[in-house]
Amino acid sequence: QSALTQPRSVSGSPGQSVTISCTGTSSDVGAYNFVSWYQHHPGKAPKLMIFDVNKRPSGVPDRFSGSKSGNTASLTISGLQAEDEADYYCCSYAGSYTLVFGGGTKLTVL
Amino acid sequence: QLQLQESGPGLVKPSETLALTCTVSGGSISTTSYYWGWIRQPPGKGLECIGSIYHSGSTYYNSSLKSRVTISIDTSKNQFSLKLSSVTAADTAVYYCARLNGYEKFDYWGQGTLVTVSS
């Protein structure tokens, strides 16, 4: 199972919006509405930010939103804040209890 | 609040077996609907799902690691474990344990433990 494709880096200024893409195939992202996104500050445990494409766990700000079109899922962060600077990973169910992660995207808040 | 904590050697020699344990506190590992998984992150690389286990013992493994991986569970100790055999330098990574809630959401994670494969 190949890793999902994410841009290596994105950046934005405080208050702006950024979108991180996650491209898979018709066997994973395109086949199931089971895409999740994780925020990872180095040295800490990853944190679930979005699940089932566009659902937010309790406590995650509504500045974080998810969507999907075809084989590509997206995470949008609006009203960027300094503390949003982190690595972000997407993950998709790929059938037969298989999960595949993206390669990760480094978000820099300028 | 559910907490997970990885434990095990931080240094493993090439060709030997990596063994880690995840201790779950604040909740029962036997709770239905949840799987328990292992994920790793090699230095400078992305996350990789290693596999998961249900309290009944049912397991699912990443096909690329399947021949070398064993995940087991001890409900009496509220722990689950990972064994990865015949390790090489490519297995050097931070290893995380996590709770898998549903098909794809890991909603609770351990802090991670760095395992280095070196002689």
Side-chain angles (χ1 to χ4, degrees):
Chain A
Q1 193 69 38
S2 299
L4 306 176
T5 301
Q6 298 181 233
R8 295 209 48 145
S9 64
V10 298
S11 63
S13 299
Q16 291 186 332
S17 294
V18 294
T19 296
I20 301 171
S21 61
C22 170
T23 301
T25 69
S26 58
S27 297
D28 39 60
V29 175
Y32 306 97
N33 288 324
F34 298 126
V35 177
S36 54
W37 289 90
Y38 300 87
Q39 178 189 66
H40 189 204
H41 289 104
K44 294 192 173 183
K47 178 184 177 182
L48 178 67
M49 305 301 285
I50 295 288
F51 66 95
D52 295 355
V53 176
N54 57 14
K55 296 181 173 64
R56 279 180 287 105
S58 174
V60 172
D62 59 7
R63 301 186 294 104
F64 292 84
S65 62
S67 62
K68 190 186 86 166
S69 177
N71 297 336
T72 298
S74 299
L75 172 71
T76 298
I77 309 171
S78 59
L80 266 180
Q81 299 182 3
E83 59 262 35
D84 298 334
E85 184 163 296
D87 298 321
Y88 290 84
Y89 293 89
C90 60
C91 177
S92 176
Y93 182 68
S96 301
Y97 296 91
T98 299
L99 295 171
V100 60
F101 280 95
T105 298
K106 181 177 180 59
L107 169 63
T108 300
V109 180
L110 302 171
Chain B
Q1 177 78 347
L2 193 72
Q3 293 185 319
L4 293 85
Q5 180 66 58
E6 306 89 351
S7 59
L11 181 64
V12 181
K13 289 182 169 56
S15 81
E16 295 189 343
T17 296
L18 178 160
L20 296 174
T21 295
C22 181
T23 301
V24 179
S25 59
S28 173
I29 204 170
S30 297
T31 304
T32 57
S33 302
Y34 302 126
Y35 275 73
W36 304 89
W38 288 97
I39 303 99
R40 71 179 182 177
Q41 182 177 30
K45 295 188 178 181
L47 299 170
E48 178 182 36
C49 187
I50 299 171
S52 60
I53 189 166
Y54 196 54
H55 65 80
S56 64
S58 297
T59 53
Y60 297 96
Y61 299 137
N62 183 323
S63 58
S64 67
L65 298 169
K66 189 172 184 176
S67 63
R68 300 193 291 130
V69 172
T70 301
I71 297 177
S72 58
I73 195 164
D74 187 337
T75 55
S76 67
K77 294 182 178 179
N78 231 33
Q79 296 176 332
F80 62 106
S81 299
L82 168 70
K83 288 188 177 179
L84 181 65
S85 64
S86 305
V87 296
T88 70
D91 294 310
T92 293
V94 175
Y95 286 77
Y96 296 95
C97 61
R99 186 179 82 171
L100 180 58
N101 181 352
Y103 283 95
E104 95 293 5
K105 52 187 181 288
F106 291 103
D107 56 357
Y108 288 93
W109 293 67
Q111 285 295 110
T113 186
L114 174 63
V115 179
T116 301
V117 178
S118 173
S119 56

